Amino acid sequence: MNAVTIKDVALAAGVSSATASRVLSGHPATSAASREKVAAVAKELGFVPNAQARSLRSTKTDTIALLISDVRNPYFSDLAHAVEQQAHAAGMMTFIGNANEDTEQQDQFLAAMLSRRVDGLIVVPQGLDEDADRPSPMMQRIIASGTPLVFVDRTLPEQRIPSITASSTGALEEAIAQLKLLGHTSIAFLGGPDHASTARERHSAFDSAMAANGLSINPALHFAGDFRAASGADGARWLLEHELQPTAVVIADAPMAIGALTVWREAGIRIGKQLSVISFDEVDAMLMHDPPIATISHDLTSMGRAAVTALQEVMAGKSPEPQEFISRFTARESLAPTQAATGA
Amino acid sequence: MNAVTIKDVALAAGVSSATASRVLSGHPATSAASREKVAAVAKELGFVPNAQARSLRSTKTDTIALLISDVRNPYFSDLAHAVEQQAHAAGMMTFIGNANEDTEQQDQFLAAMLSRRVDGLIVVPQGLDEDADRPSPMMQRIIASGTPLVFVDRTLPEQRIPSITASSTGALEEAIAQLKLLGHTSIAFLGGPDHASTARERHSAFDSAMAANGLSINPALHFAGDFRAASGADGARWLLEHELQPTAVVIADAPMAIGALTVWREAGIRIGKQLSVISFDEVDAMLMHDPPIATISHDLTSMGRAAVTALQEVMAGKSPEPQEFISRFTARESLAPTQAATGA
DNA sequence: TTGTAGGCGTTATCAC
DNA sequence: GTGATAACGCCTACAA
């Protein structure tokens, strides 16, 4: 068992534990002699400082927590990776927690992090299902506790919390303009869950992009999914049976798109011929698809970095401005001139 | 700021901190009266126990760490999800760490976990590049420290460490038999990096499946990738230019398959006609592809659960047997009778 | 430069 | 059942 403490090191090095501590934590007031001896002994004994004790005393843990809503969604694993790398570069560890799109799991994770006294939190917040905009009680406690907090990707209408978000308005305007140019006027939207601010943002950006292009917004062409593959498949089936037979569709995230495209493949729908498709989130599978799928993508790497930077500012007592990244539209062969209705 | 300690709670409840502690940690020796009062006060004050202090005293953290080699690989995010859920059910938190297929990052994470005194470790071990089978120095220290440790997915030849692995021999024999039946005799293998035991296992299982089916093993048809999409793309290009023009290919993981399939789409290769494809790892994108891709899949959920269970046994002082899961072959339309060579 | 002496928040050990 | 008290491992005034 690893029970070697700083006292053991000090004893073996023939110094006091205070000196050993100073050497091991790089305090300047140490002699070359003790530095050498302590370092050598510590290495030989395999001394690993107890982070618990250290941060109990110093009230900092050099650890931040990142709460995402679905580990298995590549969108969030990209975000997690970016945050982790940036935090790592700043000498901090990152706890990654998974809310599973569930307020209860979110709160459990937040409680655990609070209890572990992380130095800060980066959160993709879940709204409450019934009342999408109200932070959960645990979130309110976090805020009340004064723990440095930053929202990323999604947000809640809490004025004091800096947030890093993405705006898809411009990209969607481009996308819809492109579709209109190709002759599409009946365009469906497979959206995400209303408790996610991103789902609402994408939906309203879609509506305003339609309006900006002089196309009418038809609520009957909006399907409410949940950002997961199964709901994308449901949306695809819903579309197949839809009386209006739109000729193009925008899908709110990659898992839903993959689910939907699978259904359409099974149904023999030719993408880019019978149905034009644009999906949010650029993942490798979109380029594998034949034809490749046009995407609206967010720069997760930059967003993740920005979140860490903003959090560091909050930890330093500043109040960083909210930051909004602009998503990018990439046209691909999944877009083509109108030919026939979906079900043809 | 959240500076409410157990003493504050005790004071407000009119009991000693010892009693407060007993109530808050569910110790049986408490009266109903104090239980009520303490609980009420704690809630009112928003008391959050300091996990640092608690585990400093109790020498347990109710936390385990999971080290995977690539967060963005869906294979590992599935595994992570399974481990997390199972650990959560057992009342433990999970730290998820990302080695990025890199021994140095692996070691940093392990050191951080050791320093945080996690109760146990579940690791997908990285071999050293130069000497795939030797555990890194840090891994040796972990082992020496006696921290409960379990390997999952990959393994190292350390006799004392329980490991949860998968065997693809049977599945590959089935797969190759199927290909042979369809007339394929020249079958390529796009493999993973040698420092991963799974890559070696899949490769040797491929070879023995070829042999078992009476087909000759041709080293010239083996491509060494690294489990990532880019190397799959490289492998696909390599195959396109290969003088032997195999008619079928087995790919060692999903990201590589997606990379490869993208290249083949661009090159106009018709999968399931000109080239039959089998990929390891069943991810949604495999079913989205037209035609759907035959897969060899592991039951990550069961493996993740088994890893947690094994770790719990180690923590309880037992020595669980190594466990080997059997992978499953699923035939799909990406397999078809031989027609023409790849490059035709 | 070094050592001594608390103390961080909690729980375990004793008495009562 | 409850309350003092010590101890977990480390860091940091303070004094030397």
Side-chain angles (χ1 to χ4, degrees):
Chain A
M1 278 298 148
N2 199 321
V4 38
T5 78
I6 203 170
K7 281 186 186 168
D8 302 320
V9 175
L11 194 66
V15 298
S16 75
S17 61
T19 300
S21 170
R22 281 189 279 257
V23 169
L24 293 167
S25 52
H27 191 102
T30 50
S31 71
S34 42
R35 244 171 298 166
E36 273 181 46
K37 210 181 290 182
V38 169
V41 168
K43 190 172 173 186
E44 189 191 323
L45 266 51
F47 170 70
V48 179
N50 185 324
Q52 324 269 358
R54 188 203 296 265
S55 53
L56 182 58
R57 187 66 235 260
S58 62
T59 64
K60 58 192 291 283
T61 54
D62 289 323
T63 303
I64 63 172
L66 168 69
L67 178 70
I68 58 184
S69 47
D70 182 2
V71 239
R72 290 178 297 179
N73 185 333
Y75 182 85
F76 291 116
S77 52
D78 277 0
L79 179 65
H81 188 246
V83 166
E84 191 187 25
Q85 295 292 314
Q86 182 75 8
H88 185 256
M92 303 184 296
M93 269 236 42
T94 307
F95 284 110
I96 299 172
N98 182 197
N100 249 322
E101 300 282 3
D102 177 53
T103 315
E104 198 182 335
Q105 283 196 47
Q106 160 185 293
D107 284 4
Q108 285 195 10
F109 179 76
L110 292 178
M113 292 302 102
L114 217 49
S115 151
R116 279 172 178 72
R117 301 294 191 267
V118 293
D119 292 343
L121 289 156
I122 299 178
V123 173
V124 177
Q126 300 288 121
L128 292 173
D129 284 323
E130 320 82 60
D131 184 354
D133 273 355
R134 204 175 62 226
S136 69
M138 177 57 68
M139 188 71 82
Q140 291 176 9
R141 281 177 55 180
I142 299 263
I143 295 170
S145 80
T147 307
L149 171 66
V150 165
F151 289 149
V152 68
D153 186 54
R154 301 180 187 173
T155 186
L156 293 176
E158 288 291 314
Q159 308 297 347
R160 322 291 272 310
I161 311 303
S163 49
I164 313 294
T165 53
S167 163
S168 52
T169 311
L172 267 166
E173 278 178 17
E174 265 185 74
I176 301 294
Q178 173 92 252
L179 285 175
K180 189 184 179 191
L181 213 61
L182 293 167
H184 300 273
T185 54
S186 178
I187 306 174
F189 183 74
L190 305 188
D194 266 349
H195 66 254
S197 68
T198 42
R200 300 196 301 274
E201 192 272 337
R202 290 168 194 196
H203 187 191
S204 71
F206 173 82
D207 281 356
S208 65
M210 291 289 280
N213 280 281
L215 295 175
S216 67
I217 298 162
N218 187 346
L221 285 174
H222 171 253
F223 176 86
D226 66 2
F227 277 153
R228 293 180 174 169
S231 81
D234 291 343
R237 281 185 284 264
W238 167 86
L239 208 64
L240 285 174
E241 291 164 7
H242 203 288
E243 50 176 354
L244 295 180
Q245 290 301 318
T247 58
V249 59
V250 174
I251 309 175
D253 86 336
M256 283 182 70
I258 289 172
L261 288 165
T262 303
V263 167
W264 288 323
R265 175 186 59 67
E266 285 166 357
I269 302 296
R270 283 165 303 151
I271 304 301
K273 299 271 163 76
Q274 293 165 280
L275 182 65
S276 286
V277 174
I278 297 173
S279 172
F280 272 82
D281 304 355
E282 177 150 314
V283 301
D284 290 340
M286 298 293 171
L287 301 176
M288 177 190 80
H289 189 272
D290 186 17
I293 306 296
T295 54
I296 292 174
S297 54
H298 295 175
D299 183 354
L300 275 320
T301 304
S302 299
M303 288 176 65
R305 285 203 195 120
V308 175
T309 306
L311 184 61
Q312 288 180 298
E313 291 185 19
V314 176
M315 296 194 290
K318 294 181 222 162
S319 297
E321 290 301 306
Q323 228 176 314
E324 195 173 54
F325 285 78
I326 304 301
S327 13
R328 204 185 59 178
F329 169 61
T330 308
R332 294 211 180 83
E333 292 95 312
S334 65
L335 307 181
T338 334
Q339 289 197 343
T342 317
Chain B
M1 279 300 148
N2 199 321
V4 39
T5 77
I6 202 169
K7 282 186 184 168
D8 303 322
V9 175
L11 195 66
V15 297
S16 75
S17 60
T19 299
S21 169
R22 281 189 280 257
V23 169
L24 293 167
S25 52
H27 191 99
T30 50
S31 71
S34 43
R35 245 169 299 166
E36 273 181 44
K37 209 182 290 180
V38 169
V41 169
K43 189 171 174 185
E44 189 190 324
L45 265 52
F47 170 69
V48 179
N50 185 323
Q52 323 270 358
R54 188 204 292 266
S55 52
L56 180 58
R57 186 64 241 243
S58 63
T59 63
K60 57 193 291 283
T61 53
D62 290 323
T63 303
I64 63 173
L66 169 68
L67 177 70
I68 57 184
S69 45
D70 182 2
V71 237
R72 291 179 298 181
N73 185 332
Y75 182 85
F76 291 115
S77 52
D78 278 0
L79 179 64
H81 188 246
V83 166
E84 191 186 25
Q85 295 292 315
Q86 182 75 9
H88 185 257
M92 304 184 296
M93 270 235 42
T94 307
F95 283 109
I96 299 173
N98 183 197
N100 249 324
E101 299 282 3
D102 177 51
T103 316
E104 198 182 336
Q105 284 198 47
Q106 162 187 290
D107 283 3
Q108 285 194 9
F109 178 76
L110 292 178
M113 292 303 102
L114 218 48
S115 150
R116 279 171 179 71
R117 302 293 192 267
V118 293
D119 293 342
L121 291 156
I122 299 177
V123 174
V124 178
Q126 301 287 121
L128 294 172
D129 285 324
E130 321 83 59
D131 183 353
D133 273 355
R134 205 177 60 227
S136 70
M138 178 57 70
M139 189 70 83
Q140 291 175 10
R141 280 178 54 180
I142 299 263
I143 295 170
S145 80
T147 307
L149 171 66
V150 165
F151 289 148
V152 67
D153 188 53
R154 302 180 187 172
T155 186
L156 293 176
E158 287 292 315
Q159 308 298 347
R160 324 290 274 307
I161 311 303
S163 50
I164 313 295
T165 54
S167 164
S168 53
T169 311
L172 268 167
E173 278 179 16
E174 265 185 74
I176 302 294
Q178 174 93 251
L179 286 175
K180 189 184 178 191
L181 214 60
L182 293 165
H184 300 274
T185 55
S186 178
I187 307 173
F189 183 73
L190 306 187
D194 266 351
H195 66 254
S197 66
T198 42
R200 300 196 301 275
E201 193 272 338
R202 291 168 193 195
H203 188 190
S204 72
F206 172 82
D207 282 355
S208 66
M210 290 290 278
N213 281 279
L215 297 174
S216 66
I217 300 160
N218 187 347
L221 286 175
H222 172 252
F223 176 86
D226 66 1
F227 278 154
R228 293 179 174 171
S231 80
D234 291 343
R237 281 185 284 266
W238 167 86
L239 208 63
L240 286 174
E241 291 163 7
H242 204 288
E243 52 176 354
L244 294 179
Q245 292 302 316
T247 58
V249 59
V250 174
I251 309 176
D253 86 336
M256 285 181 70
I258 289 172
L261 288 164
T262 302
V263 168
W264 287 323
R265 175 186 59 65
E266 286 166 355
I269 302 295
R270 284 167 301 152
I271 303 301
K273 299 269 162 77
Q274 293 164 278
L275 182 65
S276 287
V277 174
I278 298 173
S279 172
F280 272 81
D281 304 355
E282 177 149 313
V283 301
D284 290 340
M286 298 293 171
L287 301 177
M288 177 190 78
H289 190 273
D290 186 17
I293 306 295
T295 55
I296 292 174
S297 55
H298 295 174
D299 182 353
L300 275 320
T301 304
S302 299
M303 287 176 65
R305 286 204 194 121
V308 175
T309 305
L311 184 61
Q312 289 180 296
E313 291 185 18
V314 175
M315 296 194 290
K318 294 182 223 163
S319 298
E321 290 299 307
Q323 227 176 311
E324 195 174 55
F325 284 78
I326 303 301
S327 8
R328 203 186 59 180
F329 170 61
T330 308
R332 294 208 180 85
E333 292 93 313
S334 65
L335 307 182
T338 334
Q339 290 195 344
T342 318

